[in-house]
Amino acid sequence: MGLLAAAAILTLAGGTRAEEVRQVLPGGQAPAQPAQLTREKAPDESEIQRFCSNIADAARDRRYALQAEELKQLQAGIDERMKALEAKRAEYEEWLKRREVFLARAEDSVVKIYAGMKPDAAAERLAMVNAELAAAILMKLDSRKAGVILNEMDQKAAATLTGIMASAARRVDPS
């Protein structure tokens, strides 16, 4: 507190300026003289243009790098979608093969046998056979004959076979 009071008295007395009063600790070095602050003049247009032209290449390179990174990300997204599309295509081909196998199960000779049977006997036999095979046979029969056989069947079995036949006849991708 004593130093500050002495500095204030000296300032009031006009002996020294307040900016020049510094506290020096015993055994310490004297402080260096403060650097004079100089004001720089505002940059003119030519300096601004030089600065902009100097960083233009770096900015362009950075922009290109960002665009390249974005293109890599887009390419990765496209590749991912192509894999998903390829998987769907393979799934569709598998479904198509199953459908062809399903229709091929009912050979003409078996169909002819059921076509020659009485409707009530054919309905009883088809109810005991694998549902897919029975549906395939009914699909290859004449529609009138198949209708009469379905009419003779148990309601539950007829509904199951009708559902299988309808899904097999559908031409739209099941997924």
Side-chain angles (χ1 to χ4, degrees), residues 29-85:
Q29 295 179 345
Q33 291 295 326
Q36 294 293 330
L37 295 177
T38 58
R39 288 190 171 202
E40 293 184 22
K41 64 177 187 169
D44 60 354
E45 285 294 317
S46 64
E47 287 181 52
I48 294 171
Q49 287 176 348
R50 274 197 323 261
F51 175 76
C52 290
S53 66
N54 287 340
I55 67 164
D57 290 338
R60 187 178 319 115
D61 291 344
R62 180 66 181 148
R63 235 183 351 264
Y64 290 157
L66 289 173
Q67 288 172 347
E69 183 63 32
E70 186 177 347
L71 285 175
K72 285 180 186 176
Q73 290 174 353
L74 290 173
Q75 184 64 43
I78 289 171
D79 291 343
E80 191 175 306
R81 288 179 181 166
M82 286 179 63
K83 286 179 185 177
L85 184 62

Side-chain angles (χ1 to χ4, degrees), residues 105-118 122 126 136-142 145 149:
R105 280 185 182 171
E107 292 188 22
D108 289 334
S109 60
V110 175
V111 172
K112 287 179 185 175
I113 292 171
Y114 277 96
M117 292 175 80
K118 292 183 180 180
L126 284 175
I137 292 170
L138 286 173
M139 286 180 70
K140 288 200 172 188
L141 285 174
D142 176 53
K145 181 77 172 178
I149 291 173

